[in-house]
């Protein structure tokens, strides 16, 4: 055999073990050795002692020994010991990424007290990428491959110098030099040809594993343990398949393993991952990330007791930990679950790892080399389902995984129904272009078949389908072959899904609540998996939304606060005081991801520390930019839900709501501008809100924290008919008229209210009645009336001549001149046992609204009011004789912020928080 580069002159011929060996007796293990004898051509160590090792051209892809030769040669030699005595380890690239790490791996091997160990090792991290890059550069005729190859050389040389000395080092470096110079020659050939065949590439890229295996075995030997290095191209025989994968030839591999062992018997073997040979003895690979597969095949060939896959995470998580920070470690998984997880993108395990070990019930344990105290994940046939996984006992879903860069192809047409062979024709065309179909979904009407393929293959697939179905398209039997690009697949995996109704309902509910549109669905008959196709940009958000739905029970909401003034600031303080309790008691996780005023904004990736939000704003505030703010708050994929809380009184901010809701951002506000602005705008907002799962709450626009809007909505939703809503909606005017009694002058009471801070800085803003009119219009529209603000007649309490005065101070000075007018109206009212109250009225029956000063009998509830309270009376079909009355403080930062806060909690409960 002529793996010219893999000769390891340092390795001596194997010692024949003196231990009694048991012969494997499993059925497909060949034990007859009476095959034709040929001269052996395989040697030892990671390398092989090959004829003409320096003659690259003639020997490069020459044959590895054939099984029969090997077996015959094995007669009378050491046979493979009993399978159960073997334990297999696989160390991923990061585990052997540096010299310290290789040393660490060697220590783990040395301290593993299994009777026999076979250790499969990947290339040092990044090396395989570097090797692929060499090929890419060379065949693109980019001569920087020379420098890149030097970097590969340097990396291994430095590592070897760190780890080895004496002969070991000299031998390794000699081999490395030899390999590098051979590679240089090969790359030069590729450079000149401008082309690299797959065999060339496979040969080149496999060197990473050869070097790491040699390094590791030398280090293990250095610690006094006898250890052999296996170049798996001498043992693992695989056949290429049409879909760029390889299928192991177990029989042939088994024979070669026997043979190899007979010459290299050892209780500790370090084997190369990733690389193998074809039956024609051409070096090949098990394709990217294939070392897991190598370990699984070798475990199956050995019938090992267990295979431990060492990597850089604590085990298999319920979702990719890089995407879902709350993902939890799964202690146990069934083979099927692990397969589905890995097939759908959990790259902690190569999907093909499962099949070989499953056949012999060999458990796989995934462990973290950087955290030896973590027990890892056990993958076996019957993991007992329980709550020990850290997930809730009832959660039937074990994990979630995603695949990006897919496109969906939809073949649609009425002519497909009932026509046998359509699906076969479709997938035949797909097969012809060698594309990999990741999922298929067909509606039962047979009207359309849709399937997902990798984005890079979609063009070819679409072209193949169009040509295959040209006639059907022309004849109208097929209406279209549509390509939907930029898709991702999200898969939910769990063996218990099969026996649990409602799993898909919960899944789709979580997606709907996160405002994620599902484009296609597939559920296999095994019910181990539900797969949905979504837009790529929604993928991480979807993953987090469903993960938190099944795993966290925690409703996590990203909050953006616009306007940290009096109300916004108070809200932030209330959130500060309550957030921890909510998290603890109700599993509601509220995170303020951004605070913006008109000048500066503060953004945070994980949530603003609310105990110091004011200081942070000063220290870390940046120039306010609404677009950037919204993008930041909503763009954080780790939190599935976003709400923007507008605490301003600004119409510009309100003009964004429609866009926010459309983007799936919930909106909560005490700002009256949107709901009392142009009717058309309002109707659009409400329609959008009703159509989507996006919520828009505005309880605090009327009566601050009093439950006015929610009461009205409750009445309407339960079928009551609103007849009339009448109320004192202004805290300021409530205060003024509650105190406008006896002989007191109106201007004097206004002055007192102003001094007590009950009025706006310019009291005319209260006295004009516009604010009350806005509340009236909000309630009127909520009750179904289609009114504009201009349709509401407002009785202003600002005397006409004082409307144009510039300063509030001057206004206050001149106001006493007009006291007579209101004093007269008060006298008239008192004469009939009545009081004056400034009210807003929604007359639903006559479809009108008004804002005016009215007289009420002294016994009327409106006359009983004190302080700045609001009072609202709903007359409805159910509450006709006795109106439903809500009364209480209806102004002030604390109660208004409280109203907003309770909207946030309502949102949390709509999103699934426990109530
Ligand atoms: P190795 O080089 O050791 O084979 P990989 O990079 O192939 O390591 O696989 C480990 C990585 O898989 C982890 O670092 C993690 O980021 C990723 N991963 C993706 N999904 C999962 C999951 N569900 N559980 C654990 N790890 C996952
Ligand atoms: N080194 C190979 C790769 O990076 C195989 C592996 O690490 O599993 O693809
Ligand atoms: Mg891997």
């Amino acid at each position: 055999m002529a793996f010219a580069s893999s000769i390891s002159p340092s390795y001596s011929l194997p010692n024949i073990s003196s231990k009694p060996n048991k012969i494997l007796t499993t059925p497909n293990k060949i034990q007859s050795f009476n095959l034709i004898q040929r001269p052996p051509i395989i040697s030892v160590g990671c390398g092989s002692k090959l004829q003409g090792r320096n003659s690259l051209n003639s020997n490069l892809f020459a044959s590895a020994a054939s099984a029969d030769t090997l077996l015959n040669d094995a007669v009378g030699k050491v046979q493979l010991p009993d399978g159960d005595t073997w334990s297999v380890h696989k160390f991923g690239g990061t585990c052997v990424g540096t010299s310290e790490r290789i040393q660490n791996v060697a220590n783990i091997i040395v301290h593993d007290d299994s009777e026999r160990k076979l250790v499969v090792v990947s290339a040092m991290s990044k090396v395989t990428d570097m090797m692929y890059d060499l090929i890419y550069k060379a065949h693109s005729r980019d001569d920087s491959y020379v420098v890149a190859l030097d970097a590969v050389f340097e990396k291994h040389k430095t590592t070897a110098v760190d780890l080895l000395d004496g002969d070991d080092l000299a031998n390794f470096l000699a081999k490395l030099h030899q390999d590098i110079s051979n590679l240089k020659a090969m790359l030069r050939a590729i450079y000149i040809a401008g082309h690299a065949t797959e065999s060339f590439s496979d040969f080149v890229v496999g060197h990473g594993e050869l070097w790491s295996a040699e390094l590791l075995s030398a280090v293990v030997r250095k610690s006094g343990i006898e250890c052999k290095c296996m170049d798996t191209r001498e043992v693992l025989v695989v056949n290429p398949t049409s879909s760029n994968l390889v299928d192991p030839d177990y029989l042939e591999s088994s024979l070669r393993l026997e043979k190899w062992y007979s010459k290299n018997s050892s209780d500790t073997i370090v084997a190369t991952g990733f690389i193998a040979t074809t039956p024609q003895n051409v070096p090949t690979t098990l394709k990217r990330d294939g070392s897991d597969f190598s370990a699984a095949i070798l475990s199956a060939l050995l019938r090992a007791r267990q295979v431990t896959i060492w990597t850089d995470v604590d085990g298999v998580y319920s979702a990719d930990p890089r995407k879902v920070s709350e993902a939890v470690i799964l202690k146990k998984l069934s083979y099927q679950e692990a397969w589905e997880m890995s097939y759908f993108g959990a790259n902690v395990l190569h999907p093909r790892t499962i099949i070989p070990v499953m056949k012999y019930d060999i458990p796989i344990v995934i462990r973290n080399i950087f955290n030896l105290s973590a027990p890892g994940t056990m993958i076996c046939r019957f993991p007992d389902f329980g709550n020990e996984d850290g997930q809730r006992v009832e959660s039937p879903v074990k994990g979630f995984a995603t695949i990006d860069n897919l496109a969906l192809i939809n073949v649609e047409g009425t002519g497909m129904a009932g026509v046998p062979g359509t699906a076969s024709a479709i997938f035949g065309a797909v097969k012809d272009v060698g594309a990999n179909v990741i999922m298929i979904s067909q509606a039962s009407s047979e009207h359309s078949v849709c399937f997902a393929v990798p984005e890079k293959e979609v063009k070819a697939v679409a072209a193949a389908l169009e040509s295959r179905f040209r006639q059907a398209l022309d004849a109208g039997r097929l209406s279209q072959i549509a390509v939907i690009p930029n898709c991702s697949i999200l898969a939910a995996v769990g063996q218990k899904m099969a026996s649990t109704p409602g799993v898909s309902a919960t899944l789709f509910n979580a997606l709907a609540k996160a405002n994620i549109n599902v484009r296609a669905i597939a559920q296999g008959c095994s019910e181990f998996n539900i797969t949905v196709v979504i837009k790529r940009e929604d993928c991480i958000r979807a993953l987090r939304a469903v993960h938190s739905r099944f795993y966290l029970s925690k409703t996590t909401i990203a909050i953006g606060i616009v306007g940290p003034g009096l109300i916004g600031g108070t809200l932030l303080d209330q959130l500060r005081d309550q957030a921890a309790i909510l998290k603890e008691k109700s599993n509601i996780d509220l995170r303020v991801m951004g605070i913006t005023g008109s000048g500066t904004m503060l953004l945070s990736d994980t949530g603003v520390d609310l105990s110091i939000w004011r200081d942070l704003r000063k220290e870390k505030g940046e120039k306010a930019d609404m677009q950037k703010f919204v993008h930041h708050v909503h763009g954080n994929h780790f939190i599935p839900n976003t709400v923007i809380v507008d605490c301003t009184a600004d119409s510009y901010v309100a003009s964004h709501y429609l866009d926010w809701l459309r983007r799936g951002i919930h909106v909560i506000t005490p700002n009256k501008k949107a709901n009392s602005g142009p009717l058309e705008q309002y109707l659009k907002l409400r329609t959008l809100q009703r159509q989507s799962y996006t919520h828009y709450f505005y309880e605090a626009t009327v009566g601050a924290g009093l439950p006015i809007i929610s009461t009205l909505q409750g009445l309407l939703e339960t079928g009551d008919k609103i007849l009339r809503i009448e109320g004192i909606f202004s805290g300021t005017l409530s205060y003024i008229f509650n105190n406008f009694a006896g002989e007191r002058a109106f201007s004097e009471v206004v002055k007192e209210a102003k001094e007590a801070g009950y009025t706006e800085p310019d009291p005319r803003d209260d006295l004009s009645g516009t604010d009350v009119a806005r509340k009236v219009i909000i309630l009127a529209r909520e009750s179904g009336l289609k009114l504009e603000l201009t349709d509401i007649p407002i009785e202003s309490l600002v005397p006409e001549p004082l409307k144009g005065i510039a300063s509030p101070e001057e206004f206050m000075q001149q106001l006493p001149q007009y006291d007579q007018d209101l004093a007269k109206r008060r006298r008239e009212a008192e004469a009939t046992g009545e009081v004056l109250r400034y009210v807003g009225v929604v007359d639903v029956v006559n479809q009108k609204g008004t804002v005016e000063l009215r007289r009420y009998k002294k016994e009327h509830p409106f006359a009983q009011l004190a302080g700045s309270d609001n009072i609202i009376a709903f007359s409805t079909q159910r509450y006709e004789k006795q109106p439903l009355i809500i009364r209480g403080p209806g102004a002030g930062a604390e109660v208004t912020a409280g109203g907003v806060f309770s909207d946030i909690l309502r949102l949390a409960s709509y999103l699934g928080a426990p109530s």
Side-chain angles (χ1 to χ4, degrees), residues 438-510:
I438 293 162
M439 68 147 257
I440 307 170
S441 151
Q442 178 179 16
S444 54
S445 72
E446 297 183 47
H447 188 76
S448 73
V449 174
C450 92
F451 56 94
V453 293
E455 194 109 56
K456 62 179 189 314
E457 289 169 358
V458 73
K459 255 194 179 158
V461 173
L465 287 171
E466 287 197 0
S467 106
R468 172 71 185 72
F469 290 101
R470 189 70 271 152
Q471 262 190 334
L473 283 163
D474 291 344
R477 276 179 283 122
L478 281 192
S479 54
Q480 63 165 347
I481 294 167
V483 171
I484 305 159
N486 301 324
C487 291
S488 290
I489 275 184
L490 166 71
V493 172
Q495 202 148 342
K496 263 175 76 182
M497 283 161 60
S499 50
T500 317
V503 177
S504 38
T506 313
L507 181 85
F508 290 113
N509 197 268

Side-chain angles (χ1 to χ4, degrees), residues 292-458:
D292 296 346
F293 192 25
S294 310
I297 302 167
L298 286 162
S299 305
L301 293 176
L302 288 170
R303 314 293 193 267
R305 188 173 49 80
Q306 175 174 298
V307 49
T308 308
I309 306 236
W310 294 88
T311 183
D312 58 353
V313 279
D314 282 355
V316 180
Y317 279 89
S318 50
D320 187 338
R322 291 167 298 191
K323 295 177 180 164
V324 181
S325 62
E326 273 100 353
V328 299
I329 284 287
L330 303 167
K331 284 196 177 144
K332 284 182 180 168
L333 280 175
S334 71
Y335 288 125
Q336 283 85 356
E337 287 171 332
W339 184 83
E340 301 261 1
M341 286 283 285
S342 59
Y343 177 79
F344 286 102
N347 57 332
V348 63
L349 196 66
H350 189 281
R352 306 201 77 206
T353 316
I354 302 296
I355 307 296
V357 295
M358 189 164 139
K359 189 160 174 206
Y360 302 107
D361 269 351
I362 301 168
I364 304 176
V365 180
I366 314 267
R367 292 198 58 190
N368 190 350
I369 188 122
F370 306 112
N371 181 14
L372 297 181
S373 62
T377 299
M378 160 83 85
I379 300 166
C380 53
R381 186 170 299 271
F382 299 115
D384 31 62
F385 298 109
N387 62 348
E388 46 177 330
D389 289 346
Q391 79 235 56
R392 286 175 295 155
V393 194
E394 69 271 21
S395 174
V397 179
K398 279 274 176 108
F400 300 91
T402 55
I403 312 179
D404 282 334
N405 302 328
L406 299 177
L408 208 53
I409 296 193
N410 196 20
V411 182
E412 210 174 298
T414 43
M416 279 166 62
V419 180
T422 311
S424 142
I426 292 175
F427 294 110
V430 178
K431 181 178 170 282
D432 290 346
V433 293
N436 178 26
V437 175
I438 293 162
M439 68 147 257
I440 307 170
S441 151
Q442 178 179 16
S444 54
S445 72
E446 297 183 47
H447 188 76
S448 73
V449 174
C450 92
F451 56 94
V453 293
E455 194 109 56
K456 62 179 189 314
E457 289 169 358
V458 73

Side-chain angles (χ1 to χ4, degrees), residues 15 45 149 223 236 470 492 522 547 557 590 645 657 683 773 787 839 841 861 884 889:
N15 299 324
L149 184 61
S223 59
L236 298 184
R470 189 70 271 152
H547 186 270
I557 305 178
L590 303 177
V645 182
Y657 296 175
L683 292 174
L787 295 178
V839 295
V841 179
L884 170 66

Side-chain angles (χ1 to χ4, degrees), residues 213-359:
E214 281 174 7
L215 278 170
L216 179 61
S217 55
V219 178
V220 172
R221 270 195 301 274
K222 215 177 132 188
S223 59
I225 305 268
E226 191 233 346
C227 170
K228 293 281 156 58
C229 183
M230 177 196 282
D231 173 349
T232 43
R233 296 176 303 185
E234 294 172 19
V235 173
L236 298 184
V237 181
V238 296
N239 290 296
T241 70
S242 55
S243 42
N244 194 32
L245 297 172
V246 292
D247 279 340
D249 180 338
Y250 288 99
L251 193 60
E252 180 69 20
S253 303
S254 172
L255 296 171
R256 293 194 185 192
L257 177 63
E258 294 266 7
K259 173 68 183 169
W260 186 93
Y261 190 81
S262 75
K263 299 195 162 226
N264 297 277
S265 80
S266 173
D267 290 344
T268 306
I269 299 170
V270 172
T272 52
F274 188 45
I275 52 176
T277 183
T278 68
Q280 295 72 38
N281 299 310
V282 177
T284 186
T285 69
L286 305 186
K287 311 303 164 201
R288 288 314 304 259
D289 296 317
S291 296
D292 296 346
F293 192 25
S294 310
I297 302 167
L298 286 162
S299 305
L301 293 176
L302 288 170
R303 314 293 193 267
R305 188 173 49 80
Q306 175 174 298
V307 49
T308 308
I309 306 236
W310 294 88
T311 183
D312 58 353
V313 279
D314 282 355
V316 180
Y317 279 89
S318 50
D320 187 338
R322 291 167 298 191
K323 295 177 180 164
V324 181
S325 62
E326 273 100 353
V328 299
I329 284 287
L330 303 167
K331 284 196 177 144
K332 284 182 180 168
L333 280 175
S334 71
Y335 288 125
Q336 283 85 356
E337 287 171 332
W339 184 83
E340 301 261 1
M341 286 283 285
S342 59
Y343 177 79
F344 286 102
N347 57 332
V348 63
L349 196 66
H350 189 281
R352 306 201 77 206
T353 316
I354 302 296
I355 307 296
V357 295
M358 189 164 139
K359 189 160 174 206

